[in-house]
């Protein structure tokens, strides 16, 4: 890997980590200079402005998350196992795995939804759509196999499950208590929600 | 009302509105000066620093929200009606009622959960506990009356319902599409979740 490419990757790793924990607007270029050990010019050689860095860092986090879910789900064969693998992958966020600060998609969503940043917002929307789609496909597959009820539309079910997990993760992080997201995850798996 | 009290109330109204939309860290004192038409000294006459203003503004928002739910719920008599009234009150957030920017409790929670601000965090925790408690009591009342199943603990149910609503509200705000939170609300009311 070229030195420039390596430096850019390092900036993305450190800044995405910082943005997901402190917030995109709260984390400053000075914070990123401290984290990376680079001067301002060393950062802006790779990104045209803070907004470009924010967007690339968000996509970097979103890709880590996508790979995390896909790795877990792809090795399972049926709908129930894939759903359990997705939920297991989701719960790991509370242990800062595969990245620190919780779900980068809901974090960025709540932070940016009232700010006038259409570029950033469209990437957050795409990532949330991806998550809903991933879960919808798992549920649809389970419905085809007769594992899940077909009473409720797969996508509506996906939105319901993802909403409850995202809300419960926020509570677990607020109270520093894993039981909120674990209880909701168990409820989804045990109950006749799907 | 004394002039000083009136000015303080105006600052709280304008700043709480701004904080809930832009974020507590993103909205600056300059933004608040613009909104209120006051100079910096005119703001800091009433609040010792930005953090005090953030905390008082958060509590101001939280109190508007509490009153909003209590007004809706108190006029209903049984558990099912009270639950429907709570959910109806929650959905109104998507129309910026009773305040702009969505649920101030989840917004502040996601923004502040990784920042080292224990004072602010303890107030957010108290407000989230209040919401969970309010919903738990409604469900417990419905269980006593035989309206709801006693299979699942009232508080676990409250956390599950509130999580799904908060997650769905975030999606509705992200996609500027009310159907996410409306579908989840309908699902809670129609299904055998409680």
């Amino acid at each position: 890997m070229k030195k420039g490419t390596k430096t850019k990757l390092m900036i993305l790793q450190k800044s995405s980590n910082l943005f997901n924990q402190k917030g995109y607007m709260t984390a400053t270029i000075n914070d990123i200079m401290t984290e990376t050990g680079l001067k301002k010019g060393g950062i802006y050689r790779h990104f045209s402005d803070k907004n470009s860095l924010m967007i690339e860092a968000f996509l970097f986090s979103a890709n880590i998350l996508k790979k995390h879910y896909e790795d877990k789900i792809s090795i399972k064969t049926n709908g129930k196992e894939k759903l359990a693998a997705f939920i297991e992958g989701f719960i790991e966020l509370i242990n800062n795995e595969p990245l620190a600060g919780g779900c980068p998609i809901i974090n960025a969503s709540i932070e940016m939804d009232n700010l006038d940043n259409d570029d950033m917002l469209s990437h957050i929307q795409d990532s949330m759509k991806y998550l809903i789609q991933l879960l919808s496909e798992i549920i649809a597959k389970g419905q085809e196999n007769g594992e899940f009820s077909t009473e409720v539309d797969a996508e509506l079910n996906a939105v319901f499950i993802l909403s409850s997990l995202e809300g419960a993760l926020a509570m677990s992080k607020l109270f520093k208590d894993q039981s909120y997201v674990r209880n909701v995850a168990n409820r989804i798996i045990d109950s006749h929600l799907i």
Side-chain angles (χ1 to χ4, degrees), chain A:
Chain A
M1 198 185 284
K2 279 190 188 163
K3 197 182 162 219
T5 315
K6 217 170 149 181
T7 306
K8 185 172 181 179
L9 182 64
M10 185 271 282
I11 299 170
L12 285 173
Q13 284 166 333
K14 305 250 183 189
S15 63
S16 64
N17 188 54
L18 203 62
F19 285 139
N20 199 37
Q21 292 182 81
K22 292 188 74 172
Y24 287 83
M25 305 304 286
T26 304
T28 62
I29 288 296
N30 280 337
D31 293 332
I32 293 164
M33 287 162 61
T34 306
E35 281 292 310
T36 57
L38 294 170
K39 293 189 181 156
K40 199 172 280 187
I43 295 169
Y44 285 135
R45 184 174 305 145
H46 302 280
F47 305 92
S48 56
D49 51 25
K50 192 190 168 192
N51 202 48
S52 303
L53 174 56
M54 279 163 48
I55 289 173
E56 287 204 47
F58 172 75
L59 293 173
F60 186 85
S61 291
N63 280 328
I64 290 175
L65 199 68
K66 286 178 191 179
K67 195 177 174 316
H68 173 69
Y69 289 125
E70 282 167 6
D71 286 351
K72 293 206 165 270
I73 292 163
S74 62
I75 53 171
K76 304 294 179 181
T77 48
N78 67 36
K80 277 198 175 167
E81 283 178 359
K82 281 178 190 282
L83 177 65
F86 177 87
I87 291 175
E88 187 189 294
F90 191 93
I91 288 179
E92 288 175 4
L93 291 169
I94 200 71
N95 295 322
N96 292 320
E97 289 293 335
L99 35 70
C103 173
I105 302 172
I106 196 87
N107 288 351
S109 174
I110 288 208
E111 182 179 359
M112 306 300 292
D113 60 4
N114 283 306
L115 305 178
D116 294 324
N117 188 334
D118 289 344
D119 260 13
M120 179 83 178
L121 211 55
S122 73
H123 290 292
I124 305 168
Q125 288 169 339
D126 288 347
S127 293
M128 188 69 91
K129 273 183 206 152
Y130 165 86
L131 271 194
I132 295 170
Q133 186 62 23
L134 181 68
L135 202 45
S136 295
E137 282 168 14
I138 292 171
I139 296 170
K141 189 184 165 73
Q143 288 178 330
E144 281 167 30
N145 293 349
E147 297 171 87
F148 300 142
S149 158
T150 52
E151 211 178 307
V152 180
D153 173 77
E155 192 177 324
L156 283 184
N157 244 327
V159 167
F160 185 66
I161 290 172
L162 189 59
S163 293
S164 65
L165 289 171
E166 295 283 12
L169 177 64
M171 288 187 200
S172 274
K173 289 181 69 218
L174 175 64
F175 293 118
K176 303 187 197 321
D177 177 348
Q178 302 202 352
S179 70
Y180 293 88
V181 71
R182 289 192 181 277
N183 286 336
V184 164
N186 289 337
R187 182 78 183 278
I188 293 166
I189 291 176
D190 296 341
S191 72
H192 304 288
L193 281 176
I194 56 165

